[in-house]
Amino acid sequence: MNQSLANRLRIGFAITFAVFAVVTIFGVGRLFQIRSNYEHDVARSYERELSVGQLQQAFQHERDAADLDAVMPTGAALHLHRAIATSRVIANTARSALEVDPESEAAFALRIKAQARWLALVTRGLANNRAPPLAREKVLADAVLKADREFAQREQNRRAELRSDVDGDTGVTALLVGIGFISGLVAAILLVSSIVSAVRRPLDQLVDAAGRLASGDLKARVAIDGPRETAALGAAFNEMADELQLAYRHVEEGHEQLAVTVRSLSDGVITVDEAGIVNDANPAARRLLPTVVAEVDIRHAISDLGSPEEIDRILADEGAGEISLEHGGRTLVIRASSLGEGAGSVLSVRDISERNRVERMKDEFVLTASHELRSPLTSVQGFAELLLMESSTLTPRQAETVEIILENSRHLVRLLNDLLDLARSDAGRLEVKPIPAEVEPLIMDPVRAMWAQADSKGQTIEVEIAEDLPLVEVEPDRIRQVLVNLITNAADYSPMGSKIRISARQVAERIEILVTDNGAGIPPEQIEHIFDRFTRGDAGITQRIDGTGLGLAISKSLIELHGGSLVAESAPGGGATFRISLPFLTEIRSATSSPAAPLADGRPTDA
């Protein structure tokens, strides 16, 4: 297993530190030893020179004690013997300092022999009670003094040699230490260079492979070698390259599948750049719009079918708009969707001619069937009402049957009326005839109509109308129809004894009418589809609500025909609120409308 870069650095630095430590210890120890030996040798040399000096002084005392100018003066012999004894003591001490130096010991022995010859001469003269020959004594004394001077000079020369030797040894030691340090430094540099080389080689391979991978060579890989870190990096790069190659293969497969899918679509697909120039179009688009080809401005390509402003509008509308074109007896719908910032847009072209034809046939069928069914149903309802007026002549069972016939015929008539309204709305034939109207009567008429139904369930209807509301331009019967639908819906989906609240107020440039109940509310998943056709809310397991599920859809269409809006708001368990918003007339304001104060039972009084 390859060592990690950190371990290599640790080992390298440890070896370098050990080399520097050994060289430093060796150098310091060597210098200390040289200095110690030098000081010891110099001290011994001075000690020998001092001993010889002391001998020279003792010799001088011996000469003085001998008093060679007289013959055995009184006490001369005693002084001489004392001086000789002192010289011997000094000589013995000096000899002990010369034991480790044979050359100095030999020179010292010659000096002692010279002094012994002088002493023998002097001693013989004194024994004969006469002075020794002065010339001979002077020669022998000079020999002793010369030996002392030579010994001292020799020691001085010896110390000079020691200084020279210690300087040389110090220089050699310093040179060796320097060589050791330089060797350690060179080794450290070589070690770092080897580590850098071991790291740089795989990094260079990674850089080269990354460049090839970026240029499109998905087979680029690197050898996994070098330190553990670079080996792990190389393995990660190879794994990334494998995943990238796999992802690219999937993208290519997906692109191919998408291309096949787009080519096989029955709807046209056109891609344009940010300036509206066509990049590509599938066969369906070229079949539906033969003028659309690559490198052509989409505005010019369909200029005969629609204005360029319409194309600009849907391109700038971020996919929320669409336009319809008539081409060759067909109706085409073009919708745009943005591909992203600066990436252009994609246009979908759909032929809805057949769908429009089927829708028209459906609307015509519903209108025709509703008209054809309403006449006989009206007759059945009329005859049932006549029979019910003569109920005294009928048996109880016959009277019950007539009531069932009347109730079901009325239900079918309401259903047919709802279907007719929806069919007219889909066909664009549903019209309203608005007139200026006051808000309060619009609300109070359906409320009065719903009192009986509310009383039967123990429910209370509360009305709150703001003061001095402006007139609205509406068709009263249609607004009454909407409010009856909303109040009925609130009563059906509220429990016994609950309250239904109707309020009206001015909000900015509109009149808002709110119908609120405190029932179970509308679940979030249902509120988005509450205005869809044939959709009914969940009333709970204890209630069963009859109806077709068309009332709210018709109500929304009628309010929108008046230029208003109808929205539902609810929270589970918090009831539901239906909010009607209608524009009002700004030129004429009602001078007679006033708030309706609720009675104790919740019914409003007439204003």
Side-chain angles (χ1 to χ4, degrees):
M1 180 181 293
N2 293 336
Q3 288 186 341
S4 67
L5 181 61
N7 288 338
R8 292 189 180 189
L9 289 174
R10 291 192 190 98
I11 294 173
F13 283 124
I15 294 175
T16 304
F17 178 78
V19 171
F20 284 135
V22 169
V23 170
T24 301
I25 293 172
F26 168 77
V28 172
R30 176 65 177 168
L31 291 174
F32 179 79
Q33 184 64 37
I34 291 172
R35 186 66 181 176
S36 178
N37 292 340
Y38 170 73
E39 291 177 352
H40 180 266
D41 291 341
V42 168
R44 298 288 290 181
S45 176
Y46 276 115
E47 183 179 354
R48 289 191 294 269
E49 187 177 357
L50 181 60
S51 298
V52 172
Q54 290 174 348
L55 284 175
Q56 188 177 4
Q57 291 178 358
F59 176 67
Q60 191 63 41
H61 290 161
E62 288 178 357
R63 292 188 71 190
D64 292 341
D67 194 7
L68 301 178
D69 294 334
V71 178
M72 289 302 291
T74 304
L78 179 61
H79 288 299
L80 179 60
H81 288 301
R82 289 178 179 175
I84 292 172
T86 301
S87 294
R88 289 176 177 173
V89 172
I90 295 173
N92 291 331
T93 302
R95 189 176 287 109
S96 64
L98 299 173
E99 292 177 353
V100 295
D101 189 356
E103 294 181 2
S104 298
E105 188 175 0
F108 185 76
L110 293 176
R111 189 264 178 204
I112 295 298
K113 287 180 179 180
Q115 184 177 0
R117 287 194 295 272
W118 174 86
L119 183 59
L121 177 63
V122 172
T123 304
R124 282 195 302 270
L126 292 178
N128 296 323
N129 195 18
R130 60 185 178 144
L134 294 179
R136 178 66 177 167
E137 185 276 336
K138 188 174 185 310
V139 171
L140 294 176
D142 289 341
V144 174
L145 294 175
K146 181 181 178 182
D148 289 340
R149 288 194 298 272
E150 289 178 353
F151 191 92
Q153 185 61 44
R154 183 181 178 281
E155 292 301 326
Q156 290 175 4
N157 294 337
R158 179 69 177 273
R159 289 195 295 272
E161 291 177 0
L162 289 174
R163 281 194 296 270
S164 177
D165 291 343
V166 76
D167 290 341
D169 290 344
T170 302
V172 171
T173 303
L175 179 62
L176 292 176
V177 171
I179 293 173
F181 273 110
I182 292 174
S183 301
L185 184 60
V186 170
I189 293 174
L190 293 177
L191 175 64
V192 173
S193 298
S194 66
I195 293 176
V196 171
S197 176
V199 173
R200 182 177 179 179
R201 185 174 59 257
L203 288 181
D204 289 341
Q205 294 178 359
L206 278 172
V207 172
D208 179 66
R212 290 189 286 118
L213 189 65
S215 63
D217 183 8
L218 298 180
K219 296 181 179 180
R221 299 294 187 274
V222 297
I224 301 176
D225 58 359
R228 186 182 304 166
E229 291 82 357
T230 56
L233 185 60
F237 177 85
N238 291 341
E239 184 178 355
M240 179 196 68
D242 293 339
E243 294 179 355
L244 184 61
Q245 187 175 18
L246 181 61
Y248 183 80
R249 186 183 302 115
H250 290 165
V251 169
E252 287 293 320
E253 293 174 354
H255 183 270
E256 183 63 26
Q257 293 174 0
L258 180 61
V260 173
T261 302
V262 171
R263 287 196 298 268
S264 62
L265 285 176
S266 60
D267 291 346
V269 178
I270 305 170
T271 57
V272 298
D273 61 16
E274 194 174 11
I277 305 301
V278 176
N279 293 327
D280 196 9
N282 70 341
R286 292 192 291 269
R287 184 181 69 254
L288 295 174
L289 296 172
T291 57
V292 175
V293 294
E295 306 299 330
V296 174
D297 194 326
I298 188 64
R299 304 171 185 82
H300 299 158
I302 62 173
S303 58
D304 295 339
L305 307 178
S307 65
E309 290 76 12
E310 291 180 320
I311 294 295
D312 288 333
R313 177 179 61 80
I314 64 171
L315 289 178
D317 207 17
E318 297 183 357
E322 65 180 23
I323 59 174
S324 296
L325 305 176
E326 296 295 333
H327 176 63
R330 294 180 297 183
T331 302
L332 304 180
V333 174
I334 300 179
R335 176 180 288 273
S337 298
S338 175
L339 293 175
E341 185 68 25
S345 303
V346 59
L347 305 179
S348 64
V349 184
R350 174 170 293 183
D351 185 356
I352 62 170
S353 304
E354 183 64 20
R355 188 186 71 183
N356 287 347
R357 187 182 69 82
V358 172
E359 289 290 335
R360 286 194 297 271
M361 291 176 60
K362 182 200 71 174
D363 294 340
E364 292 296 335
F365 171 76
V366 172
L367 284 172
T368 302
S370 299
H371 277 293
E372 294 298 327
L373 289 174
R374 190 164 60 172
S375 296
L377 279 175
T378 302
S379 298
V380 171
Q381 180 181 348
F383 284 120
E385 290 175 348
L386 288 175
L387 288 174
L388 195 58
M389 293 174 61
E390 301 294 334
S391 58
S392 60
T393 62
L394 301 176
T395 64
R397 184 173 182 79
Q398 291 173 339
E400 181 181 359
T401 301
V402 170
E403 290 179 357
I404 293 174
I405 293 172
L406 180 59
E407 181 180 353
N408 287 311
S409 62
R410 288 173 177 171
H411 176 71
L412 288 175
V413 168
R414 288 194 299 270
L415 176 59
L416 289 175
N417 289 334
D418 291 342
L419 289 174
L420 281 172
D421 286 340
L422 285 176
R424 291 192 186 103
S425 177
D426 293 339
R429 301 179 185 178
L430 183 61
E431 297 179 355
V432 294
K433 299 177 180 179
I435 60 173
E438 296 181 358
V439 175
E440 182 182 353
L442 288 177
I443 295 175
M444 294 308 302
D445 288 346
V447 168
R448 292 189 184 96
M450 296 301 299
W451 278 342
Q453 179 179 345
D455 287 341
S456 65
K457 295 183 178 181
Q459 296 172 336
T460 302
I461 299 178
E462 295 182 354
V463 180
E464 182 180 353
I465 303 174
E467 296 181 0
D468 199 21
L469 291 178
L471 299 177
V472 291
E473 192 171 19
V474 296
E475 184 176 342
D477 288 342
R478 290 300 190 179
I479 299 301
R480 181 180 184 278
Q481 179 183 352
V482 171
L483 288 175
V484 168
N485 280 336
L486 296 181
I487 297 173
T488 301
N489 191 70
D492 290 342
Y493 285 92
S494 297
M496 299 288 291
S498 61
K499 292 181 180 181
I500 301 172
R501 187 171 181 270
I502 298 95
S503 61
R505 59 185 179 180
Q506 179 180 344
V507 177
E509 300 297 324
R510 288 182 171 267
I511 297 297
E512 280 192 355
I513 302 174
L514 286 76
V515 179
T516 304
D517 63 67
N518 55 0
I522 306 172
E525 64 273 10
Q526 294 183 8
I527 198 167
E528 296 179 0
H529 307 285
I530 198 67
F531 293 106
D532 294 347
R533 300 174 185 183
F534 305 104
T535 298
R536 299 197 57 80
D538 186 4
I541 61 175
T542 61
Q543 291 179 272
R544 183 180 182 276
I545 308 301
D546 295 328
T548 60
L550 298 175
L552 291 179
I554 295 172
S555 298
K556 187 175 181 66
S557 297
L558 292 174
I559 293 298
E560 290 176 349
L561 283 174
H562 286 85
S565 62
L566 174 61
V567 296
E569 302 169 356
S570 178
T577 298
F578 288 85
R579 187 186 305 273
I580 302 172
S581 178
L582 294 170
F584 60 75
L585 294 176
T586 57
E587 295 84 1
I588 306 174
R589 293 181 64 86
S590 174
T592 60
S593 56
S594 59
L599 297 175
D601 62 355
R603 298 182 182 182
T605 58
D606 294 338

